[in-house]
Amino acid sequence: MKKTILHCDLNCFFASVEMLYHPEYRNVPMAVAGDPEKRHGIILAKNVPAKKKGIRTAETINEALQKCPELIILKPDYHSYEYFSERVRDLYYEYTDRIEPFGVDECWLDISGSLSYFGGAEAIVSSLLNRIREEIGLTLSIGVSFNKVYAKLGSDMAKEDDFCRIDSLDDIRHLSASKLLFIGSHTCEILKSHGIYTIGDLADHPMGYLENILGKAGKTLYCYANGIGSDEITRYDHEAEMPKSISCCHTAERDLCSLDDFKIVLTMLCDEVATRLRKQGLYYRKVHLLLRTKQLKVRTMQMSLKENSDLAKDIYDNALALFERNADFSIPYRSIGVSVSDLSYQKQYRQTSLFEESAYSIRQKKQELAMQQIRDRFGKDAIVSLRVMEDQTLSRIGLKNNEPFEEVIHQ
Amino acid sequence: MIRKYVDVICLNDKGGNVKPLFLIWEDDKKIPIKKVKEICPRASLKVGGSGLRYTCVFEPNRIRHLYYDRGKWYVEMNDHVV
């Protein structure tokens, strides 16, 4: 039996929260943007009047101001966004316990089990739209379909405070392939060079052909286009939720031009990731490194460990090894990110050998725990590695100001 | 209309419920809240804000909405009154 899956996307979420508390910004062009001094100066969200002036998300503040000099720019208030995200999610729980968050403002909901109780998908959708507008003061677009990919497409097609239902491939056959989840500009160009322009074209090509031109991703995109699979939404448990990965990414105040710069930021990121891991009692097996160059090109690399760990030192050593093996400083880096995955609650034990320094890791863990306890009690800047103190500019963000790092936790 | 934050004296009962008892106005006058008719989550679109809306009866037939939003209380006010 086909499932009923909703994709709920809060409309211009950051801007909507700001307008909720500042109704005077509702009818003037307004955007939420990062701090240019910290080199986060891009547009994160904009309201409808700003959209009409041609402001786009992710463009720089300068570009936006050139298009619209009267644009009001607000600093993001992440605590408020988290609060509203949580409130909206709590409201979703009144309809189903199968919820899969996708970022702070999007969620997939599997409502197959609650259809008869609430009187059908349309009743649930209209109740959600009404309640979120009246009780929370935000609006959302909802996509209704039988799998996650089509539901996401539906919410993209739906107007503000409305929904769009996709029942079959025929409803979306004519849409550009770039509208499909995970088809970026690069993949889109490859597809176009093979004469694939629409989702219908993509669905009609054999899977083997797509695999030939796109590799592994070909199979995934074939399934996405044909609406095959991707209908599993795991039950989201408040108590025992286990993230798939824990990441921490940081844009430095100046470009990272040497290995010493890189090590400073890496140390801070690894400390942060390991702290979050240990707070949830998790161990990781894989380490990922993300590098974003000055030209905003992104490179990612990953490696697996022999045994799982929860040490910052292991993340650091492996991320550094990844960097030294795969990258250099021919181009300066704007930001770096560290992520750990393949998480488990259990430490794997294995036979120790005579020559292994098992005592070393025990000592390291004691040291990291001691540092964590000091930070919990006296603040993040109470104790830092000597390396981090070498460059005040690079170490300023995140530690001295006690500001949160940019964080992504994939559920 | 504007959002006007106010001081409120409340009763936190054993069940964890919060009941506003008095609203303290600008002249330090304590205005008793006789009855809370309804409590529901609501956004205040007129003045901005979102939280729990308490529909309070202040004097016979004087009903006003009191909003509780992340630890603060506010009422909706006409600009010319303030």
Side-chain angles (χ1 to χ4, degrees), chain A residues 54-258:
Chain A
I55 310 295
R56 285 183 294 117
T57 304
E59 70 184 350
T60 62
I61 293 177
N62 285 343
E63 284 169 345
L65 286 173
Q66 275 170 12
K67 286 183 195 167
C68 175
E70 70 274 22
L71 182 72
I72 293 166
I73 291 172
L74 303 178
K75 282 187 180 173
D77 174 4
Y78 290 110
H79 294 295
S80 272
Y81 308 150
E82 271 174 31
Y83 167 76
F84 278 98
S85 173
E86 199 63 32
R87 268 186 72 186
V88 171
R89 213 172 284 173
D90 283 344
L91 204 141
Y92 293 153
Y93 278 116
E94 294 185 25
Y95 296 88
T96 175
D97 59 347
R98 293 189 183 270
I99 290 173
E100 187 175 320
F102 188 62
V104 72
D105 59 340
E106 298 180 28
C107 264
W108 277 292
L109 279 66
D110 182 348
I111 53 163
S112 316
S114 15
L115 286 176
S116 55
Y117 184 78
F118 289 101
E122 309 230 331
I124 292 179
V125 166
S126 65
S127 166
L128 271 173
L129 289 170
N130 280 336
R131 287 189 64 193
I132 289 178
R133 186 178 53 247
E134 283 175 15
E135 293 182 14
I136 301 176
L138 300 174
T139 57
L140 74 164
S141 302
I142 302 182
V144 188
S145 192
F146 56 89
N147 76 4
K148 292 199 282 187
V149 179
Y150 281 13
K152 164 98 176 111
L153 202 57
S155 74
D156 291 342
M157 287 163 68
K159 288 179 192 152
E160 195 178 316
D161 202 16
D162 203 355
F163 73 98
C164 174
R165 190 175 183 120
I166 297 175
D167 290 318
S168 70
L169 174 63
D170 293 332
D171 297 342
I172 51 167
R173 189 170 271 282
H174 60 284
L175 293 177
S176 161
S178 62
K179 301 263 182 199
L180 209 59
L181 191 64
F182 299 128
I183 297 195
S185 55
H186 181 63
T187 313
C188 199
E189 285 306 313
I190 298 175
L191 290 174
K192 275 183 187 168
S193 68
H194 288 81
I196 300 170
Y197 294 92
T198 63
I199 294 174
D201 294 341
L202 195 61
D204 293 340
H205 277 75
M207 189 198 292
Y209 180 79
L210 295 174
E211 273 184 312
N212 275 342
I213 59 173
L214 295 168
K216 264 188 200 172
K219 185 182 172 188
T220 315
L221 292 185
Y222 174 84
C223 294
Y224 282 0
N226 282 289
I228 300 167
S230 73
D231 61 352
E232 274 308 310
I233 291 182
T234 42
R235 181 175 295 168
Y236 182 81
D237 191 338
H238 267 304
E239 301 298 322
E241 68 182 275
M242 181 156 95
K244 282 185 184 153
S245 69
I246 294 184
S247 323
C248 196
C249 183
H250 180 55
T251 304
E253 267 199 27
R254 61 171 173 80
D255 287 328
L256 308 173
C257 306
S258 69

Side-chain angles (χ1 to χ4, degrees), chain A residues 35-39 250-254 264-265 268 380-381 384 387-405:
Chain A
D35 186 352
E37 279 181 22
K38 291 178 189 165
R39 308 210 311 157
H250 180 55
T251 304
E253 267 199 27
R254 61 171 173 80
I264 291 172
V265 179
M268 297 193 300
K380 274 187 181 171
D381 55 348
V384 291
R387 184 183 292 125
V388 171
M389 294 175 79
E390 282 171 8
D391 192 315
Q392 297 292 324
T393 325
L394 288 177
S395 59
R396 194 144 55 98
I397 310 165
L399 292 175
K400 286 275 148 73
N401 298 342
N402 261 345
E403 284 178 3
F405 282 95

